[in-house]
Amino acid sequence: MTDKISPSMMCADITSLTKTLDTFEKCGIEYLHIDIMDGHFVPNFTLGTDYCKAIKKICNIPLDIHLMIEKPEEKLSWFQFGEGDIVSVHAESTAHLQKALAQIKKCGAKAFVALNPSTPICVLDYILDDIDGVMIMAVNPGFAGQKMVPSCLEKISYLRSYLDGKGYSNVEIEVDGNVSFENAVKMKKAGANIFVAGTSSVFNKDFSLEDGIALFRQKIGEA
Ligand code: DX5
Ligand code: ZN
């Protein structure tokens, strides 16, 4: 599977957004990670429906919408997404997970299920035909700048062998939270192929976005 970088847009400087998006397009960034939080499922608010619509108007990079909201199946129609986009819903956020995933696929987008650090892989047992990917949270969702929960590395490798063993090697693994340059190498080796790059890597004030992306690609390319 090809490695893909999905910068976490909640970490981007809103005052220079168009410049950031131009840089991402020049660097061949594969997705834009859009964190949507409702203050209930996670104790924070971040980006919203208008932000997604505005980004789609000015940028061709597919969206990677991370819904950290209660009952997402009731709110999917609030968002604009389609062919080429990823929409992730949390297994912990609804009693109707299969319904939410089916709705996402019906809109032509890729349906991903997101798992918090303590959620076991067995929640996937009866939805393997409904998912295009699994997003492993390496932190408890809600805030940037946190430290990776160590058990997530073993969880990624278990997930990769679980999926391959059941004949779902086409299902991708995304990882979100403290995906630093060092952690990205370990996560890649464990089996992840989509990396949410936030304050721990590309959005670091010590170097330019271009340099951060180039270093990220070099690190995961070598892993
Ligand atoms: C956490 C968010 C992540 C986070 C990534 O809830 O989903 O996207 O912003 O940023 P860092 O790299 O700072 O963890
Ligand atoms: Zn996220």
Side-chain angles (χ1 to χ4, degrees):
M1 259 172 211
T2 46
D3 297 332
K4 298 159 194 166
I5 301 176
S6 185
S8 177
M9 297 307 289
M10 72 180 260
C11 307
D13 175 359
I14 194 96
T15 63
S16 56
L17 195 53
T18 40
K19 187 166 170 284
T20 297
L21 293 172
D22 290 347
T23 302
F24 285 165
E25 288 191 330
K26 258 204 316 277
C27 295
I29 286 292
E30 288 84 0
Y31 290 104
L32 299 177
H33 189 80
I34 315 276
D35 286 311
I36 305 285
M37 302 180 188
D38 65 359
H40 292 283
F41 181 70
V42 291
N44 194 2
F45 287 106
T46 45
L47 309 168
T49 53
D50 289 349
Y51 182 91
C52 293
K53 287 177 189 141
I55 292 278
K56 271 218 173 284
K57 279 206 186 95
I58 59 170
C59 182
N60 296 320
I61 300 174
L63 301 187
D64 168 28
I65 301 173
H66 179 188
L67 295 178
M68 289 167 270
I69 64 176
E70 298 288 354
K71 299 185 183 167
E73 69 279 3
E74 295 175 3
K75 301 158 190 164
L76 288 170
S77 60
W78 300 359
F79 296 85
Q80 223 178 321
F81 58 82
E83 200 70 37
D85 295 328
I86 291 175
V87 178
S88 295
V89 289
H90 272 263
E92 309 88 353
S93 68
T94 172
H96 305 290
L97 178 58
Q98 193 279 334
K99 183 177 171 186
L101 294 164
Q103 281 177 358
I104 293 166
K105 286 179 90 95
K106 214 164 134 215
C107 297
K110 286 185 175 181
F112 277 39
V113 56
L115 306 180
N116 282 341
S118 59
T119 305
I121 297 296
C122 61
V123 297
L124 303 175
D125 285 356
Y126 297 100
I127 51 164
L128 288 169
D129 291 328
D130 300 295
I131 56 173
D132 298 293
V134 181
M135 179 152 73
I136 296 291
M137 291 307 298
V139 298
N140 288 292
F143 298 89
Q146 300 180 80
K147 285 297 164 225
M148 176 177 75
V149 173
S151 61
C152 82
L153 291 173
E154 189 269 328
K155 188 174 178 181
I156 294 168
S157 45
Y158 174 74
L159 173 60
R160 191 67 270 165
S161 47
Y162 166 94
L163 291 168
D164 295 348
K166 288 179 176 280
Y168 290 88
S169 49
N170 58 312
V171 172
E172 300 189 82
I173 298 178
E174 179 170 4
V175 60
D176 184 5
N178 193 214
V179 186
S180 64
F181 297 114
E182 295 71 33
N183 288 342
V185 170
K186 296 175 193 164
M187 292 160 169
K188 162 91 186 272
K189 285 182 177 162
N193 75 293
I194 304 176
F195 304 88
V196 176
T199 61
S200 333
S201 53
V202 300
F203 291 110
N204 183 319
K205 59 193 177 321
D206 297 343
F207 39 71
S208 71
L209 268 182
E210 291 88 338
D211 289 349
I213 294 164
L215 181 58
F216 201 100
R217 288 222 193 269
Q218 181 207 324
K219 289 285 183 188
I220 53 175
E222 288 163 358

